[in-house]
Amino acid sequence: MASASVVAAVAVALHVLAAVVWIGGAFFALMALRPASLPLEPGPRLALWTRTLNRFFAWVIASIVVLLITGFGMIFVVFGGFAGIGLYVNLMMAIGIVMMLAFFHIYFAPFRRLRTAVGRGDLAMAARQLNQIRWLVTVVLILGLITIAIGSSGRYWG
Ligand code: HEM
């Protein structure tokens, strides 16, 4: 196998695994853990979410690093630079960057306030922050699903 093919095969596999970790985790959080956690009392529920998101967001940061390295790695090594990429890779890159900015907003604004509020025992404030996180993660999840559809089908149309 030529060395560019080895780079492409490893990079695309890592790229897709990182997307699975991020978007699969967001899907699980919203579609399974959220409804399952609703019957809990606010105190334990908010503490559970703070611990869960603390762990999950560390994986999201790792996924973002992998997506960026492998995504731009493929653009330069496999496609020979930005001039060689099709519409679908441009769309994936643009939506992917918006998703990453939205994630870092979540991480440094409502999630930081959620941790502080839970630490102080301010449950009303913590619930407001968790609600904001839920809406933003919903946006990221929808964008992520669209990006996966674009990235995986694009070679046939873009
Ligand atoms: C700055 C961000 C990104 C860049 C530069 C980038 C770049 C790329 C490139 C160059 C490919 C290979 C295309 C091909 O071989 O035809 C690719 C594939 C793919 N990307 Fe991205 N990507 C980014 C973000 C994302 C994100 C955020 C997701 C999903 C959440 C994603 C999901 C995928 C998928 C599913 C594939 C298709 C793999 C396959 O079926 O071969 N990418 N990406």
Side-chain angles (χ1 to χ4, degrees), residues 12 15-16 19 23 68 71 74-75 79 88 92 147-148 151 155:
V12 86
H15 194 80
V16 172
I23 305 308
L68 286 172
M74 284 188 281
I75 289 177
F79 293 87
Y88 73 105
M92 175 165 36
T147 311
I148 290 172
R155 75 186 58 183

Side-chain angles (χ1 to χ4, degrees), residues 55-137:
R55 287 189 160 77
F56 175 53
F57 285 170
W59 284 102
V60 174
I61 292 171
S63 301
I64 287 175
V65 171
V66 172
L67 280 168
L68 286 172
I69 292 173
T70 54
F72 286 109
M74 284 188 281
I75 289 177
F76 289 112
V77 176
V78 181
F79 293 87
F82 291 106
I85 60 177
L87 172 66
Y88 73 105
V89 178
N90 278 298
L91 284 172
M92 175 165 36
M93 186 168 56
I95 305 174
I97 288 169
V98 170
M99 289 166 57
M100 290 167 196
L101 292 175
F103 168 76
F104 284 112
H105 172 72
I106 295 171
Y107 191 79
F108 289 111
F111 180 56
R112 193 153 73 176
R113 290 196 293 263
L114 171 71
R115 282 196 294 199
T116 311
V118 168
R120 277 204 318 256
D122 184 348
L123 296 184
M125 168 66 114
R128 275 199 301 278
Q129 302 312 315
L130 188 60
N131 209 34
Q132 223 181 84
I133 292 172
R134 174 165 66 90
W135 281 112
L136 287 166
V137 172

